[in-house]
């Protein structure tokens, strides 16, 4: 933590250590409220002084240039492991705002902070449109970046020949995902999400479904059931047998209708939904009881596991989505970072390597609600998870990609001053209605409010609260996705192939090429033959 605070401005290390000790030592808890503002001011004041000197900027740029020159030697190793971090709805403005928030949480201005994803050497852009939509949804995009094929909105693991909600268009139009390619190649595979495990993003890794809303058979029309279509929860356990790690929410879709939830037994809306009477969790437990399989539903159970004694892990921590990071119960609910930590420790035992899909799924939900604070804190948590994965893997054998499925109509502006709270006000009132406004706003959404015939005066509300809905230009019950390109950050073997601007479905093809799985394996056999020949020559 201290090292990161020293990266931008050279505040004397002893001063930082002393300030940190006073702020965080348990014996001095009563002084924190007084000292933290002083701590932040000390950091910012020193930065302000250094930034006035051209030498500071020139030195920083030269260090960056020196690092960039090292990238001329490309990493063309075979990727033993492949990790995809997917920030649902994490468009470029969200990435920038997350960076500022992360810095401000550490006592900095924020703008100069580096996210973990910022450290990745290769960055490109992906075009996110669905085959039938200019502004996409999460199902069609998930099919693109997991299955390598663009698809219609609302459909999962099927080509564009399939029509949403029409069961009879499923058969013959199924497409497989990189998770299946990895499993077929002998790798361990895992899914970790903060949404339900049968939500759009994770579902495209294993399901073939013409409607993303068919979570269990309870949500399916009778006609679809009659024609033999399967709900998504059922497909999770049947389509790709023995997915090694599955963690997220969605418990209620696995249990028979009206089965009380283990955590919320008195709340009917949390009860099981299945009409077919199947208990998919118990079926999984019975199947895995002799295979070092473990089912957990809370943080204590998860963190008490010894990954060395676990080969298969099913963790369902909520009946539906997991809580937002800002509202998470730290005693009972695992963070995304904690789930990723356990997942990698379980998966990396396989000598053939692993594929892991990690979704920060509630970034998207926060934006839909117009609650930017919830969205951005979840994005900061996903960045922490990226950092944890970095510590547990090696760049020499692990390809890591961070991207988003789509953007949102989220933005921030208003000529805010350096270090302005990302959730704060613009420095001047509007010159049109003479009312203050926050830097953050949405193009549409539930934050649109008219009071006494005009825009709401936000000086009368707590605009920095977690549930404040930022003002929007167009009234909608739920804010919409954006149609802009999204960033793709990459590091590790063959990461340089993610460059420029590409279609979103290009992503899994690169990842598969790097790992020598899927359809592009000729280069792997050539490389292995060359290595074998070199070895024989040395022996002779």
């Amino acid at each position: 933590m201290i090292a990161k605070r020293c990266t931008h401005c050279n505040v004397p290390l002893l001063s930082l250590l002393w300030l940190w000790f006073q702020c965080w030592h348990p014996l001095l808890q009563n002084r924190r409220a007084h000292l933290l503002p002083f701590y932040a001011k000390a950091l910012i004041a020193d930065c302000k002084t250094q930034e006035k000197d051209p030498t500071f900027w020139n030195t920083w740029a030269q260090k960056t240039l020196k690092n960039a020159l090292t990238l001329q030697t490309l990493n063309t190793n075979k990727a033993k492991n492949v990790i995809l971090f997917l920030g649902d709805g994490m468009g470029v403005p969200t990435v920038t705002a997350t960076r500022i928030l992360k810095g401000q949480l550490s006592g900095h201005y924020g703008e100069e902070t580096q996210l973990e994803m910022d450290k990745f050497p290769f960055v490109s852009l992906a075009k996110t449109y669905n085959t039938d939509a200019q502004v996409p949804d999460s199902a069609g995009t998930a099919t693109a970046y997991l299955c390598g094929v663009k698809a219609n909105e609302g459909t999962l693991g099927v080509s564009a020949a399939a029509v949403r909600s029409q069961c009879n268009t499923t058969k013959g139009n199924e497409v497989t995902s990189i998770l299946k390619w990895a499993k077929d190649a002998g790798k361990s595979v895992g899914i970790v999400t903060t949404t339900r495990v049968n939500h759009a993003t994770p579902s495209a890794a294993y399901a073939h479904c013409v409607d993303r809303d068919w979570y269990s058979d309870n949500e399916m029309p009778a006609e679809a059931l009659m024609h033999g279509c399967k709900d998504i929860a059922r497909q999770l356990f049947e389509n790709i047998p023995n997915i090694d790690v599955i963690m997220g929410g969605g418990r209620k879709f696995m249990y028979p209708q009206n089965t009380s939830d283990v955590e919320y037994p008195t709340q009917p809306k949390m009860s099981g939904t299945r009409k077919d009477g199947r208990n998919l969790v118990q079926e999984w437990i019975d199947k895995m009881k002799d295979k070092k399989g473990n089912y957990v539903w809370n943080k204590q159970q998860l963190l008490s596991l010894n990954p060395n004694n676990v080969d298969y892990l099913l963790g369902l921590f909520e009946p539906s989505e997991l809580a937002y990071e800002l509202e998470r119960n730290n005693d009972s609910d695992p963070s995304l970072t904690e789930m990723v930590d356990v997942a990698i420790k379980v998966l990396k035992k396989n000598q053939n390597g692993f594929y892991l899909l990690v979704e920060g799924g509630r970034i998207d939900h926060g934006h839909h609600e117009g609650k930017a604070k919830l969205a951005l804190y979840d994005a900061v948590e996903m960045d922490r998870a990226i950092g944890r994965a970095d510590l547990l893997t090696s760049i020499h054998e692990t390809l890591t990609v961070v991207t988003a499925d789509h953007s949102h109509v989220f933005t921030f502006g208003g000529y805010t001053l350096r270090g302005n709270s990302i959730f704060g006000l613009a420095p001047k009132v509007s010159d049109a209605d003479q009312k203050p406004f926050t830097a953050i706003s949405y193009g549409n959404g539930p934050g649109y409010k008219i009071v006494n015939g005009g825009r709401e005066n936000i000086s009368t509300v707590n605009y920095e609260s977690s549930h404040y809905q930022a003002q929007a230009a167009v009234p909608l019950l739920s804010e919409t996705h954006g149609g802009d390109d999204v960033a793709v950050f990459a590091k590790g073997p063959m990461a340089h192939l993610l460059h420029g601007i590409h279609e979103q479905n290009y992503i899994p093809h690169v990842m598969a090429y790097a790992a020598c799985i899927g359809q592009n394996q000729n280069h792997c056999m050539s490389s292995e033959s060359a290595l074998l020949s070199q070895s024989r020559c040395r022996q002779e």
Side-chain angles (χ1 to χ4, degrees):
M1 178 165 61
I2 293 172
K4 288 182 179 177
R5 285 172 175 159
C6 296
T7 54
H8 177 58
C9 298
N10 298 315
V11 180
L13 185 59
L14 286 176
S15 299
L16 278 174
L17 286 167
W18 175 238
L19 282 167
W20 176 84
F21 173 78
Q22 293 186 85
C23 287
W24 298 112
H25 194 281
L27 297 178
L28 300 171
Q29 288 181 355
N30 294 332
R31 301 184 63 187
R32 286 181 189 171
H34 170 71
L35 287 167
L36 280 174
F38 169 66
Y39 179 34
K41 286 178 182 176
L43 287 169
I44 290 172
D46 196 81
C47 283
K48 211 167 191 177
T49 301
Q50 292 185 49
E51 288 181 356
K52 293 178 180 178
D53 185 352
T55 304
F56 167 78
W57 295 106
N58 288 328
T59 301
W60 192 5
Q62 286 298 314
K63 286 181 180 178
T64 306
L65 175 61
K66 186 176 180 180
N67 181 63
L69 290 169
T70 66
L71 301 178
Q72 301 307 305
T73 302
L74 300 177
N75 182 346
T76 58
N77 296 341
K78 176 180 176 180
K80 177 182 179 181
N81 311 312
V82 183
I83 305 175
L84 175 62
F85 281 93
L86 192 286
D88 199 317
M90 192 181 69
V92 173
T94 298
V95 172
T96 307
T98 300
R99 179 185 305 124
I100 294 171
L101 174 59
K102 181 181 179 181
Q104 292 180 347
L105 290 173
S106 300
H108 290 294
Y109 282 128
E111 298 85 357
E112 74 291 339
T113 300
Q114 261 199 322
L115 293 169
E116 293 298 328
M117 64 187 91
D118 290 343
K119 301 172 186 177
F120 286 28
F122 299 97
V123 183
S124 58
L125 292 176
K127 296 188 281 185
T128 63
Y129 66 91
N130 296 147
T131 49
D132 61 346
Q134 186 178 76
V135 177
D137 93 312
S138 296
T141 51
T143 302
Y145 62 75
L146 290 173
C147 303
V149 174
K150 287 232 173 191
N152 294 327
E153 66 172 344
T155 65
L156 296 160
V158 288
S159 71
V163 181
R164 184 171 188 174
S165 302
Q166 293 187 22
C167 172
N168 61 0
T169 65
T170 306
K171 192 172 182 180
N173 294 319
E174 300 93 342
V175 291
T176 58
S177 76
I178 186 171
L179 183 140
K180 187 176 190 308
W181 309 338
K183 189 68 174 174
D184 289 346
K187 295 184 182 295
S188 292
V189 297
I191 296 170
V192 175
T193 179
T194 54
T195 65
R196 58 194 78 170
V197 294
N198 51 347
H199 207 259
T201 295
S203 296
Y206 58 81
H208 310 292
C209 190
V210 291
D211 198 314
R212 59 175 288 178
D213 296 328
W214 292 353
Y215 300 116
S216 73
D217 59 348
N218 183 60
E219 290 76 37
M220 294 178 67
E223 183 183 9
L225 291 169
M226 184 177 65
H227 281 94
C229 279
K230 297 180 182 179
D231 64 87
I232 299 170
R234 180 180 167 189
Q235 292 189 56
L236 171 60
F237 298 102
E238 294 182 358
N239 284 9
I240 304 176
N242 302 335
I243 294 176
D244 303 82
V245 173
I246 303 167
M247 281 192 276
R251 243 183 351 239
K252 67 180 183 179
F253 304 104
M254 314 298 167
Y255 287 95
Q257 210 165 34
N258 300 322
T259 302
S260 297
D261 184 73
V262 64
E263 190 173 6
Y264 310 99
T266 62
Q267 299 182 34
K269 68 177 182 178
M270 303 298 190
S271 296
T273 65
R274 301 197 64 81
K275 289 181 176 179
D276 60 8
R278 292 180 64 178
N279 183 331
L280 298 178
V281 172
Q282 190 60 51
E283 289 179 18
W284 185 93
I285 293 172
D286 293 342
K287 179 182 176 182
M288 297 298 180
K289 64 182 178 181
D290 297 323
K291 298 180 180 180
K292 293 186 178 180
N294 286 262
Y295 169 65
V296 295
W297 60 268
N298 61 48
K299 177 178 177 176
Q300 292 89 339
Q301 292 173 346
L302 176 67
L303 299 188
S304 68
L305 294 174
N306 180 348
N308 291 325
N309 298 328
V310 178
D311 287 343
Y312 296 98
L313 174 60
L314 174 63
L316 300 174
F317 303 105
E318 287 290 335
S320 189
E321 272 73 37
L322 273 60
Y324 287 109
E325 179 60 22
L326 262 179
E327 300 175 340
R328 180 172 62 85
N329 184 324
N330 193 49
D331 293 326
S332 59
D333 301 331
S335 67
L336 184 61
T337 301
E338 289 165 337
M339 290 192 290
V340 166
D341 179 87
V342 175
I344 292 177
K345 287 175 179 175
V346 171
L347 296 172
K348 70 188 297 185
K349 295 184 299 178
N350 187 336
Q351 294 301 309
N352 293 323
F354 65 84
Y355 171 85
L356 176 62
L357 168 63
V358 180
E359 182 196 21
R362 304 226 64 194
I363 302 167
D364 176 71
H365 296 170
H367 280 322
H368 278 307
E369 294 181 36
K371 299 174 181 177
K373 196 163 192 175
L374 295 179
L376 296 183
Y377 269 80
D378 263 59
V380 169
E381 173 57 25
M382 192 181 87
D383 197 62
R384 289 194 193 101
I386 295 168
R388 185 59 187 156
D390 177 71
L391 294 174
L392 293 171
T393 58
S394 165
I395 196 171
H396 300 293
E397 64 177 14
T398 303
L399 171 62
T400 306
V401 176
V402 180
T403 189
D405 46 357
H406 54 74
S407 186
H408 274 268
V409 292
F410 162 87
T411 188
F412 68 99
Y415 300 111
T416 47
L417 300 178
R418 179 76 183 278
N420 193 77
S421 167
I422 190 62
F423 305 113
L425 296 175
K428 295 182 180 180
V429 299
S430 165
D431 56 9
D433 64 9
Q434 285 70 55
K435 294 176 184 176
F437 62 99
T438 56
I440 287 175
S441 63
Y442 288 93
N444 57 49
Y448 177 94
K449 290 181 178 69
I450 296 296
V451 179
N452 297 325
R455 182 173 67 90
E456 181 182 37
N457 188 335
I458 60 170
S459 63
T460 64
V461 300
N462 182 6
Y463 51 80
E464 294 217 31
S465 79
S466 299
H467 287 270
Y468 172 71
Q469 293 178 310
Q471 293 186 325
V474 177
L476 288 176
L477 294 177
S478 178
E479 177 265 4
T480 73
H481 297 168
D484 37 318
D485 298 347
V486 296
V488 184
F489 305 84
K491 68 173 182 177
M494 299 294 178
H496 57 279
L497 297 179
L498 288 163
H499 68 288
I501 300 175
H502 296 284
E503 298 287 354
Q504 194 171 41
N505 67 294
Y506 173 66
I507 295 170
H509 290 273
V510 170
M511 299 179 82
Y513 183 91
C516 293
I517 59 177
Q519 59 183 293
N520 291 115
Q521 297 187 34
N522 291 336
H523 66 290
C524 308
M525 290 181 275
S526 300
S527 300
E528 289 170 1
S529 297
L531 289 171
L532 185 61
S533 297
Q534 291 174 9
S535 176
R536 285 172 177 167
C537 287
R538 291 194 198 100
Q539 291 173 0
E540 292 172 359

